[in-house]
Amino acid sequence: MRGLKAMRRRAGITVAQLAERLSVTRATIYFWEQGRYLPNAGLLPELAEILGCTIDELFADPNEELTPQKEERP
């Protein structure tokens, strides 16, 4: 979740606001942003909705652009 901080800022949400909406502590948000811990899987849909992204985008490398995978044909 290396891009979480940038996504939060882009959404215009403070650490305190995000923590309150997810019913976690501000320290928890900081740990997620630093990559020390990952959020509980049950929080991912709400986190993605708050940040206006998909769950896949939460875990994407912020330096890589997400593109749909092409199906390989035999």
Side-chain angles (χ1 to χ4, degrees), residues 8-74:
R8 177 183 55 75
R9 286 181 171 177
R10 193 169 40 247
I13 299 172
T14 66
V15 169
Q17 290 169 331
L18 185 57
E20 183 177 332
R21 289 183 69 180
L22 294 171
S23 299
V24 299
T25 67
R26 290 183 311 226
T28 298
I29 303 297
Y30 286 122
F31 289 148
W32 294 348
E33 290 182 348
Q34 295 169 358
R36 293 174 69 182
Y37 299 106
L38 293 174
N40 180 299
L43 293 174
L44 295 178
E46 187 174 1
L47 179 58
E49 182 179 331
I50 291 168
L51 297 178
C53 66
T54 66
I55 293 172
D56 286 343
E57 289 170 325
L58 290 174
F59 290 97
D61 184 337
N63 298 317
E64 291 181 16
E65 188 174 319
L66 280 182
T67 56
Q69 292 183 358
K70 296 180 182 177
E71 256 185 57
E72 291 186 24
R73 297 181 188 207

